[in-house]
Amino acid sequence: MNPKQHWDAVYATKAATDVSWFQPEARLSLELIQAAVPERSAAILDVGGGASLLVDGLLAAGYRALSVLDISAAALEQARTRLGARAVEVAWLDADVLSVQLPAAAFDMWHDRAVFHFLTAPSDRRRYLDQVRHAVCPGGHVVVATFAEDGPTRCSGLEVARYSAEALTAELGTGFRLLRSRREDHLTPSGSRQRFTYCLWRYEP
């Protein structure tokens, strides 16, 4: 089963509120985004946003240039249905972040909660970071959240990589200045706790 088939199957068989990564409010992501790009006209790309409620929070906060990218059309459809009439205010990108053609230097903020840690192959991580460098404008910001070094080793039946803030910054390489890092204990719908690492960088190529 390829990645698209895997994630479409997940969202075809589970409600968004039942998956382990569900958050009733993307509080820490919203906090980091608003701190880095307070201008409500900022162009924000939520990578792997799927059915996440982050886009709801950003719309409620007044952001007007939002794009949500996900490999699963089923996940995006759940989000569009939930937003109703407001869905037209968002650009929905049904695509794989590793191969999608994104406009150059188009985004002030790249946000990713829990895509990067699924990239266990070094070649996939290189392709991902090439996309970041291509799509984020100089002086823009990047937020990536992954499982922490003491977090789960698997998610949704897949192996994951785990990172401290230092390891994640080293993985991104030169051109990314770490501004802030946070840890989060995420409580899953089933009551388990998962430890995450969140980092905010400024892109300075």
Side-chain angles (χ1 to χ4, degrees):
M1 183 181 293
N2 65 38
K4 180 172 180 57
Q5 291 172 327
H6 174 86
W7 294 112
D8 274 338
V10 168
Y11 282 100
T13 55
K14 291 186 177 182
T17 53
D18 293 334
V19 296
S20 65
W21 50 92
F22 171 73
Q23 294 177 300
E25 181 186 15
R27 182 190 55 79
L28 185 49
S29 291
L30 285 167
E31 177 187 318
L32 292 172
I33 290 170
Q34 291 185 87
V37 287
E39 304 83 3
R40 271 27 185 186
S41 60
I44 299 172
L45 176 65
D46 185 19
V47 174
S52 165
L53 274 73
L54 174 60
V55 67
D56 305 56
L58 291 168
L59 285 169
Y63 286 93
R64 305 187 298 276
L66 302 177
S67 300
V68 177
L69 184 153
D70 203 278
I71 199 170
S72 170
L76 295 174
E77 184 56 32
Q78 287 190 26
R80 283 195 293 262
T81 299
R82 185 184 67 240
L83 285 172
R86 298 211 71 180
V88 298
E89 301 175 42
V90 180
W92 304 96
L93 306 176
D94 174 9
D96 184 341
V97 67
L98 301 184
S99 57
V100 64
Q101 292 188 349
L102 295 170
F107 297 101
D108 302 296
M109 167 62 68
W110 175 292
H111 173 270
D112 163 11
R113 177 182 179 265
V115 172
F116 192 73
H117 65 207
F118 284 108
L119 305 180
T120 56
S123 59
D124 286 345
R125 292 196 293 271
R126 285 193 297 270
R127 289 165 66 195
Y128 178 102
L129 293 171
D130 285 345
Q131 293 280 56
V132 175
R133 293 186 178 94
H134 171 76
V136 177
C137 64
H141 292 82
V142 177
V143 170
V144 174
T146 69
F147 285 135
E149 65 273 30
D150 52 351
T153 59
R154 296 179 66 85
C155 180
S156 190
L158 302 175
E159 296 286 340
V160 297
R162 301 181 296 173
Y163 296 94
S164 64
E166 295 77 14
L168 197 51
T169 298
E171 189 71 44
L172 265 65
T174 58
F176 296 91
R177 179 163 61 91
L178 182 64
L179 301 180
R180 191 179 304 183
S181 65
R182 296 276 295 276
R183 283 173 57 92
E184 179 185 61
D185 276 3
H186 167 62
L187 186 66
T188 72
S190 65
S192 300
R193 291 195 176 274
Q194 298 178 334
R195 293 185 174 89
F196 276 77
T197 295
Y198 282 70
C199 290
L200 165 66
W201 301 270
R202 180 178 169 88
Y203 178 45
E204 300 175 345

